């Protein structure tokens, strides 16, 4: 068989589906989706879009796989957790086995004001797989500024929510939530835990919306804020109307999160009892040399992408870009002093 007929066979059930058809399938194959955050929602989106034949998937994540992810992050395996693979890399490895015809562009990165505009510049759609409102406002600002459709999604406990933003056609995230909702901005936002079924529901609706956008079927978008609770059995569809006339982002064009002078050097990570320290400018770290330096001071393990150093109650994970995730504290001052002691300023 030619690769074209292979492709027809692989996607035959999707081509039979009237909403997509042969032309829609070709559009999917020619599209690029950018997935920001490859945890529970992001890895579910990545798998579904890869299987659907979206031709290019850019997968962005700053973290590595841990055992506590496996209950809901269905893309990952015990081996990924044991090897502490960065999620972007583990996800790319699995997608290569699921669909070798598409191209995956993994990037181990903390998405922030300095890189987001570059990372979404050639996107046909952007999907939210993050776990915090600060990054969602950043995505909203960048996508509205560059007229990119993006799909908000969040899940905690058994509750989830999603909304599709088409800049200047529908309300943006800032129109609906002028400030982060209290539940999402609490310091330990996932201490409530989360169950996999709500992840599946939210990711499924996000992916369906992405397929409609990529195939050009705008009239079938749900045009609402959709809320689900799979434990309390509540499903709500709240109509969202038009963009607000005085929205700072989509009406006044302020995009404040993109104009930050310098991003916070340190940030407590949601529900992780960990702090992320990012260098103020991008540097490349020689992990082999760092390993030699740290070995006398504690237990060191490394793979191609990161180095893990355990000392006392703390565990430092250091990436090649000198970013570090410090586990064992939620105190920024403690984390900063560990960083400067072991990694440098
Ligand atoms: Zn707006």
């Amino acid at each position: 068989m030619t690769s074209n007929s292979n492709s027809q066979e692989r996607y035959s059930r999707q081509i039979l589906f009237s909403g997509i058809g042969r032309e829609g399938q070709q559009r999917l194959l020619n599209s690029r989706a950018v997935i920001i955050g490859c945890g529970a929602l992001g890895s579910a989106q990545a798998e579904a879009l890869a299987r659907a034949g979206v031709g290019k998937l850019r997968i962005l994540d700053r973290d590595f796989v841990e055992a506590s992810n496996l209950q809901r992050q269905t893309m990952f395996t015990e081996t990924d957790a044991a090897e502490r693979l960065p999620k972007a890399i583990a996800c790319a490895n699995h997608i290569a086995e699921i669909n070798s015809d598409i191209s995956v562009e993994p990037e181990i990165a903390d998405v922030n004001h300095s890189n987001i505009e570059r990372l979404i510049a050639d996107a046909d759609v952007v999907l939210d797989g993050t776990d915090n409102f600060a990054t969602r406002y950043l995505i909203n600002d960048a996508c509205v500024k560059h007229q990119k459709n993006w799909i908000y999604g969040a899940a905690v406990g058994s509750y989830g929510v999603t909304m599709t933003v088409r800049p200047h056609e529908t309300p943006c995230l800032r129109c609906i939530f002028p400030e982060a909702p209290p539940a999402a901005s609490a310091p330990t936002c996932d201490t409530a835990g989360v169950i996999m079924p709500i992840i599946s529901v939210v990711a499924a609706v996000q992916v369906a919306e992405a397929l409609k956008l990529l195939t050009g079927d705008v009239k079938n978008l749900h045009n609402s804020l959709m809320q689900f609770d799979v434990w309390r059995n509540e499903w709500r569809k709240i109509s969202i109307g038009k963009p607000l006339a005085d929205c700072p982002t989509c009406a006044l064009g302020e995009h404040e999160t993109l104009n930050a002078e310098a991003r916070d050097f340190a940030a407590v990570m949601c529900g992780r009892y960990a702090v992320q320290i990012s260098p103020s400018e991008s540097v490349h770290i020689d992990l082999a040399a760092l390993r030699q330096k740290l070995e006398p001071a504690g237990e060191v393990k490394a793979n191609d992408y990161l180095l893990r150093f355990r000392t006392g109650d703390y565990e430092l994970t250091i990436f090649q870009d000198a970013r570090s995730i410090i586990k064992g504290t939620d105190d920024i001052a403690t984390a900063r002093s560990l960083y400067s002691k072991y990694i440098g300023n």
Side-chain angles (χ1 to χ4, degrees):
M1 281 198 295
T2 65
S3 102
N4 188 45
S5 59
N6 271 326
S7 169
Q8 299 298 326
E9 168 67 16
R10 173 187 277 267
Y11 304 116
S12 59
R13 300 307 186 275
Q14 206 161 269
I15 289 169
L16 282 170
F17 173 66
S18 63
I20 293 180
R22 205 169 291 280
E23 192 193 325
Q25 187 61 52
Q26 198 53 50
R27 287 191 185 200
L28 295 180
L29 289 165
N30 294 337
S31 297
R32 174 181 279 107
V34 175
I35 297 175
I36 302 184
C38 189
L41 287 173
S43 59
Q45 295 156 9
E47 178 176 347
L49 294 175
R51 290 187 188 275
V54 172
K56 298 183 198 71
L57 292 180
R58 181 169 301 141
I59 294 168
L60 312 167
D61 194 276
R62 65 182 181 181
D63 213 341
F64 51 87
V65 183
E66 294 185 288
S68 67
N69 301 148
L70 301 180
Q71 154 264 350
R72 65 194 179 285
Q73 303 188 13
T74 54
M75 176 73 89
F76 304 124
T77 65
E78 290 183 355
T79 307
D80 297 329
E83 293 179 1
R84 300 212 147 206
L85 282 182
K87 289 182 180 179
I89 301 297
C91 187
N93 292 346
H94 292 303
I95 287 177
E97 292 191 43
I98 291 168
N99 190 347
S100 56
D101 287 345
I102 64 165
S103 105
V104 192
E105 304 159 347
E107 201 153 325
I108 308 163
D110 182 43
V111 175
N112 58 47
H113 78 279
S114 72
N115 58 15
I116 188 163
E117 293 182 76
R118 168 179 67 83
L119 292 167
I120 65 153
D122 53 0
D124 295 299
V125 67
V126 176
L127 290 97
D128 171 18
T130 67
D131 60 2
N132 66 84
F133 249 77
T135 311
R136 293 188 182 111
Y137 283 134
L138 181 80
I139 297 171
N140 190 61
D141 279 352
C143 286
V144 171
K145 180 177 174 186
H146 294 278
Q147 198 66 32
K148 300 285 180 187
N149 297 322
W150 77 280
I151 306 168
Y152 157 59
V156 62
S158 57
Y159 168 81
V161 57
T162 179
M163 181 177 82
T164 300
V165 176
R166 285 189 299 134
H168 306 112
E169 297 287 331
T170 68
C172 79
L173 191 69
R174 191 74 75 171
C175 289
I176 302 292
F177 302 107
E179 288 169 25
S185 54
T188 51
C189 61
D190 64 355
T191 48
V194 61
I195 56 173
M196 199 196 84
I198 190 58
I199 300 292
S200 307
V201 168
V202 173
V205 175
Q206 287 181 289
V207 167
E209 292 280 283
L211 297 179
K212 293 174 211 171
L213 286 167
L214 294 175
T215 55
D217 193 357
V218 175
K219 67 181 187 306
N220 277 310
L221 293 166
H222 62 63
N223 280 317
S224 58
L225 185 70
M226 296 195 78
Q227 299 177 317
F228 319 95
D229 192 317
V230 294
W231 211 258
R232 297 196 174 83
N233 313 306
E234 292 165 359
W235 301 68
R236 267 194 296 268
K237 189 165 178 271
I238 301 165
S239 193
I240 50 175
K242 286 279 162 196
L244 291 186
D246 59 351
C247 169
T249 309
C250 62
L252 309 179
E254 287 176 358
H255 318 306
E256 64 171 37
T257 64
L258 301 176
N259 303 327
E261 281 294 308
R263 189 167 181 273
D264 277 346
F265 185 70
V268 176
M269 293 179 83
C270 177
R272 289 276 307 273
Y273 200 49
V275 175
Q276 174 181 252
I277 305 270
S278 311
S280 48
E281 43 198 83
S282 163
V283 286
H284 183 85
I285 241 182
D286 180 347
L287 291 179
L290 182 64
R291 177 178 195 149
Q292 281 194 329
K293 178 179 136 189
L294 292 177
E295 256 164 357
E299 180 196 330
V300 184
K301 284 188 178 160
N303 60 33
D304 291 345
Y305 312 98
L306 57 84
L307 178 149
R308 177 171 43 132
F309 169 60
R310 202 191 290 269
T311 179
D313 295 334
Y314 305 109
E315 187 186 288
L316 286 72
T317 300
I318 302 118
F319 297 85
Q320 283 169 334
D321 61 1
R323 195 166 50 82
S324 180
I325 294 173
I326 297 167
K327 262 178 92 171
T329 182
D330 53 12
D331 178 57
I332 285 179
T334 305
R336 277 204 169 118
S337 84
L338 288 161
Y339 188 93
S340 59
K341 179 172 177 188
Y342 293 112
I343 304 163
N345 292 305

